[in-house]
Amino acid sequence: MNRYYFLACLSLLLLAVAPTSAQTIWDGPTMTFTKPASADWNLEENQDRITENVWITRRNRWSIFNIAEGEITAKPSCSTSPGQPFGTRWAWGKTADGIENLTFDNFLGSNFSNCKPGREGGMMERDAVLHLVEKNIYIDIKFTNWTNQSGGAAFSYERSTEPQVSSTTLLQSSSVSLAPNPSQASITIRGLGNIISSNYIIYNTTGSIIRQGIWSTNETIDIANLTSGMYYLQIEAHDQMLKFVKL
């Protein structure tokens, strides 16, 4: 039971649920991501790791960027870095409006932020859609905070998450599940039958181990300190992998 096991299961899930070439709309529970003022953008907790190759963050100045594609050393603009955050396209509206009816552009594009880097605060509370180009995923998103450089360059947004998939999709298992899911504070494992104790491992979406511990019957697993997002819980005694969302 290790990271390779996790990645193999995750690969099977992705193949079964969202082939790379297919258009996928994420309509799972809404989560909030916040990069606090003056926070270190190199730390995972200050990056919204949406997929393995799209990690949205922001330095303590300038606009947002995809740090999975490398650091930025100059202010992104419509002319010098038109594609930042790399791998993404943006549009005003909602996925419910119909993807074919939306006009997608660069984040710093004439049809989205009006090519005015540094004035992105005008996006507040407007419905928008984020397109992850490589995976062809569409995500509803709404910025709720944006501070300028003097304020430490914080930003926040709400976005939809990947639709929840039952545990049977991952490992063709029985009735094992997590509740509540999504959750803010703790999760309970249900359906393990006669198993009264087991080691468990929590992974993030890139396969890194976030936490390990021992679970016993009727105990909950504390997730209050996890960053909002999607995770995978591996239950070793049952050879099971379950997905959950931390709100």
Side-chain angles (χ1 to χ4, degrees):
M1 300 295 181
N2 53 30
R3 180 172 179 172
Y4 298 103
Y5 170 84
F6 166 84
L7 293 175
C9 294
L10 182 56
S11 297
L12 290 173
L13 171 65
L14 294 176
L15 287 172
V17 177
T20 301
S21 59
Q23 173 182 300
T24 303
I25 294 176
W26 280 11
D27 56 2
T30 299
M31 61 160 282
T32 299
F33 172 77
T34 299
K35 187 268 183 182
S38 303
D40 186 350
W41 59 92
N42 294 296
L43 299 180
E44 180 177 346
E45 60 262 33
N46 299 319
Q47 304 163 5
D48 185 14
R49 297 191 172 188
I50 306 175
T51 65
E52 67 271 17
N53 55 8
V54 178
W55 302 353
I56 304 298
T57 189
R58 186 184 180 196
R59 294 171 60 99
N60 291 331
R61 53 180 175 169
W62 307 334
S63 192
I64 60 174
F65 70 103
N66 179 8
I67 197 171
E69 296 291 333
E71 181 65 274
I72 59 173
T73 57
K75 181 178 181 179
S77 70
C78 296
S79 58
T80 61
S81 292
Q84 277 286 13
F86 293 130
T88 70
R89 301 278 282 175
W90 305 72
W92 297 120
K94 300 179 179 180
T95 56
D97 298 331
I99 300 302
E100 69 280 2
N101 298 318
L102 304 179
T103 301
F104 287 87
D105 198 356
N106 298 317
F107 183 79
L108 293 177
S110 58
N111 292 321
F112 192 73
S113 62
N114 200 28
C115 279
K116 293 182 178 180
R119 299 184 182 181
E120 294 88 343
M123 303 180 304
M124 293 305 95
E125 302 296 339
R126 292 186 63 182
D127 293 321
V129 176
L130 163 60
H131 180 208
L132 307 184
V133 178
E134 181 179 353
K135 300 289 187 181
N136 205 15
I137 294 170
Y138 293 87
I139 299 172
D140 286 299
I141 190 168
K142 180 185 293 185
F143 282 82
T144 56
N145 180 44
W146 186 280
T147 63
N148 57 26
Q149 178 176 336
S150 62
F155 76 97
S156 299
Y157 54 60
E158 300 172 347
R159 67 166 176 84
S160 57
T161 60
E162 185 176 6
Q164 293 185 51
V165 179
S166 69
S167 59
T168 54
T169 305
L170 284 167
L171 286 178
Q172 302 303 319
S173 187
S174 54
S175 58
V176 181
S177 63
L178 300 176
N181 190 7
S183 175
Q184 291 183 322
S186 62
I187 50 178
T188 299
I189 304 174
R190 295 177 175 175
L192 283 180
N194 295 327
I195 297 174
I196 62 173
S197 180
S198 174
N199 293 327
Y200 72 84
I201 302 174
I202 295 178
Y203 298 91
N204 63 16
T205 55
T206 65
S208 298
I209 294 176
I210 301 301
R211 181 181 302 165
Q212 301 182 68
I214 299 175
W215 165 87
S216 297
T217 302
N218 298 324
E219 288 186 356
T220 61
I221 297 176
D222 182 14
I223 62 170
N225 293 328
L226 296 184
T227 303
S228 297
M230 184 174 64
Y231 296 88
Y232 294 86
L233 174 69
Q234 177 185 332
I235 308 167
E236 293 190 344
H238 200 263
D239 197 32
Q240 178 68 286
M241 184 84 73
L242 300 172
K243 180 170 66 175
F244 68 92
V245 174
K246 165 62 168 65
L247 296 176

